[in-house]
Amino acid sequence: METTLQAGAKVSSYEDAVYRKVSWRLVPFLMLCFLIAYLDRVNVGFAKLQMSQDLGFSETVYGLGAGIFFIGYFLFEIPSNLALHRFGAKVWIGRIMVTWGLLSACFVFVETPTAFYTLRFLLGLAEAGFTPGIVYYLSCWYPSHRRAKIMAIYCMGSPLSGIIGNPLSGFLMGSMGGIAGWAGWQWMFFIEAVPAVLLGLACFYYLDSSIAKAKWLSDDEKQVLERAKAEDNKAAGPEARVGKVFTDPRVWLISLICFCYVTGQYGITLWLPTFIKSTGVSDPVQIGLLSAIPYIAAIVTMYFFAKSADKHRERRWHLIVPCMMGALGFLALPWIMHSTALSLVFLSIAAAGILTCSPLFWSLPTAFLSGAAAATAIAMSNSIGNLAGFTSGYMIGYLRDVTQSGSSAYYMIAGMLVLGAFAIWTLPAKLVNR
């Protein structure tokens, strides 16, 4: 008996070592890709501080332009993820990054609302499939009980883009205006697009499309990973046909959950500079530094919630609590916007809760689906969820124009987060807690 336990411990220790090797190889690079992806997606929130005034854009025009990105994202996301499943990660993710980097640089030439809408729509088309593609790619390497922590580390690219990108954006806009005849916001778009193209080219050489093709793994290490993957797929059940995903009520439920928390996510990421400015701060550099604070809070919260979820193999309450944190933060904002310090406290609570939802959420679809069906479910839930980027961006802009206040928009976001928490509560625990 003792010998058996010792052998089991040795196997577990060796498996842990193999997964550490995989994590050091894949996760920092993918997190960096996500950081750049998120920066290019939401830096329009910083550009708004100057671009709207320079080009005469109203709050509604900005909100529609910020949100229309997600229409293109929605239309092409499922085809994009199926293409990744067919052609391999390094080819498809590399293609996505190069394309969106080039399009992001083209925002330098925006002069009219039509050009703004068109480029945001095309950027959504180009980036479609990136996040669900990475989620599916990581699910091919990690079993479900290791995935929440890994997804949390990967998703730290989002708050890191705020910590690094917001001060950088504020600096570029505040210091480079007038150079070569370009405004500060034009230089920001151009400079921040370059890393996406370079990282996209690196994907073709750095990423492996499968465990079997990873030359940096020994045969024994590959067997450990393949065995863990096979056991996880067995627990998820037989691979479903792709067509059945669209009629599976579980997939529609998790799509609703994604829609609700993403409403809050883009309420934070697209409008955070505007929220801080409305408390009385006007300097772009200062706004950039202050807006990094909520993202620092998010990084700490994401890590500890994900670590706890993996340790206890529990998903529902680890998602419900962050959703309610986000709702609390937004409910408080209308009452304390007179104070920059208090606003930052509750924006930090909101950001910590909302951004923590993402890595925990992505363990749901792969808990009960595998293979191409899992890739489709991930893409479907993310595409429907990211429509919230459109509705959230447009509705916040519209409500701010109509009411000349952000209060109604804050209440709308809080209500969606409460709805999301209720939807999570209806998930059967045995479906997702493994």
Side-chain angles (χ1 to χ4, degrees):
M1 179 70 175
E2 186 176 346
T3 303
T4 303
L5 290 173
Q6 288 175 346
K10 287 180 180 179
V11 170
S12 177
S13 178
Y14 180 62
E15 183 177 296
D16 289 343
V18 173
Y19 275 107
R20 279 196 297 272
K21 182 176 180 178
V22 171
S23 297
W24 279 110
R25 168 77 184 194
L26 297 181
V27 178
F29 180 79
L30 294 175
M31 184 175 69
L32 180 60
C33 290
F34 187 48
L35 187 157
I36 299 301
Y38 217 80
L39 180 60
D40 283 348
R41 183 188 300 187
V42 302
N43 59 6
V44 68
F46 244 94
K48 173 185 179 289
L49 300 177
Q50 291 181 352
M51 184 174 67
S52 291
Q53 183 175 353
D54 289 351
L55 303 180
F57 290 177
S58 67
E59 297 281 309
T60 303
V61 167
Y62 165 74
L64 179 58
I68 207 168
F69 166 96
F70 300 98
I71 301 298
Y73 203 94
F74 170 79
L75 292 174
F76 199 58
E77 185 148 1
I78 291 177
S80 181
N81 224 35
L82 290 174
L84 179 139
H85 182 68
R86 180 175 180 181
F87 297 114
K90 68 177 182 179
V91 172
W92 202 248
I93 293 173
R95 190 283 305 164
I96 289 172
M97 295 192 71
V98 170
T99 308
W100 99 54
L102 294 174
L103 283 169
S104 187
C106 289
F107 277 83
V108 167
F109 306 108
V110 167
E111 293 182 352
T112 65
T114 301
F116 182 48
Y117 299 153
T118 301
L119 276 175
R120 287 289 294 176
F121 178 79
L122 291 175
L123 192 65
L125 283 180
E127 195 178 328
F130 178 77
T131 294
I134 297 293
V135 173
Y136 174 69
Y137 181 62
L138 289 173
S139 74
C140 294
W141 292 81
Y142 294 91
S144 57
H145 67 274
R146 293 181 181 270
R147 216 171 287 151
K149 183 178 176 181
I150 291 302
M151 283 304 304
I153 296 171
Y154 162 72
C155 287
M156 284 178 187
S158 169
L160 278 173
S161 74
I163 294 170
I164 298 170
N166 283 3
L168 174 63
S169 297
F171 172 77
L172 293 175
M173 288 174 55
S175 64
M176 297 197 68
I179 297 176
W182 282 3
W185 60 269
Q186 290 174 303
W187 277 112
M188 183 201 70
F189 276 125
F190 181 78
I191 291 172
E192 293 180 357
V194 173
V197 176
L198 297 179
L199 280 172
L201 294 173
C203 284
F204 294 107
Y205 301 97
Y206 190 80
L207 294 180
D208 300 287
S209 292
S210 67
I211 295 170
K213 294 181 179 179
K215 295 179 180 179
W216 45 275
L217 290 171
S218 69
D219 289 341
D220 285 346
E221 290 168 337
K222 290 177 183 179
Q223 287 177 9
V224 168
L225 298 175
E226 293 286 10
R227 184 168 56 249
K229 178 182 171 184
E231 290 173 356
D232 197 55
N233 288 342
K234 184 178 179 180
E239 185 171 337
R241 294 200 307 271
V242 169
K244 286 194 172 183
V245 170
F246 301 101
T247 58
D248 190 330
R250 301 171 300 179
V251 178
W252 285 101
L253 180 59
I254 64 172
S255 296
L256 171 63
I257 293 167
C258 188
F259 185 92
C260 291
Y261 85 77
V262 171
T263 297
Q265 181 176 307
Y266 287 109
I268 285 286
T269 55
L270 291 174
W271 291 89
L272 182 58
T274 300
F275 294 159
I276 293 174
K277 185 178 181 180
S278 65
T279 68
V281 183
S282 58
D283 177 55
V285 176
Q286 190 175 359
I287 291 173
L289 292 172
L290 291 175
S291 63
I293 294 173
Y295 292 111
I296 295 172
I299 282 183
V300 176
T301 308
M302 286 169 70
Y303 178 79
F304 283 105
F305 266 80
K307 184 178 180 180
S308 174
D310 276 350
K311 178 181 179 180
H312 298 287
R313 299 201 179 190
E314 198 286 327
R315 310 295 174 195
R316 289 195 310 165
W317 287 103
H318 282 84
L319 263 169
I320 291 171
V321 172
C323 264
M324 295 307 294
M325 287 172 60
L328 172 65
F330 273 104
L331 282 173
L333 282 179
W335 306 95
I336 44 85
M337 289 301 287
H338 61 281
S339 168
T340 301
L342 281 174
S343 295
L344 281 170
V345 169
F346 282 95
L347 282 169
S348 295
I349 293 171
I354 292 164
L355 295 179
T356 294
C357 290
S358 186
L360 295 169
F361 170 82
W362 289 119
S363 64
L364 301 185
T366 52
F368 57 88
L369 291 168
S370 60
T376 305
I378 292 167
M380 176 178 165
S381 56
N382 194 60
S383 61
I384 292 173
N386 272 285
L387 283 177
F390 172 75
T391 57
S392 177
Y394 179 71
M395 286 302 298
I396 291 174
Y398 176 76
L399 290 171
R400 288 178 67 90
D401 268 343
V402 170
T403 65
Q404 297 300 304
S405 167
S407 298
S408 54
Y410 304 148
Y411 294 144
M412 180 270 292
I413 293 172
M416 291 301 296
L417 291 167
V418 172
L419 174 61
F422 176 76
I424 296 163
W425 181 76
T426 66
L427 281 170
K430 64 180 181 180
L431 181 69
V432 296
N433 289 348
R434 63 180 184 86

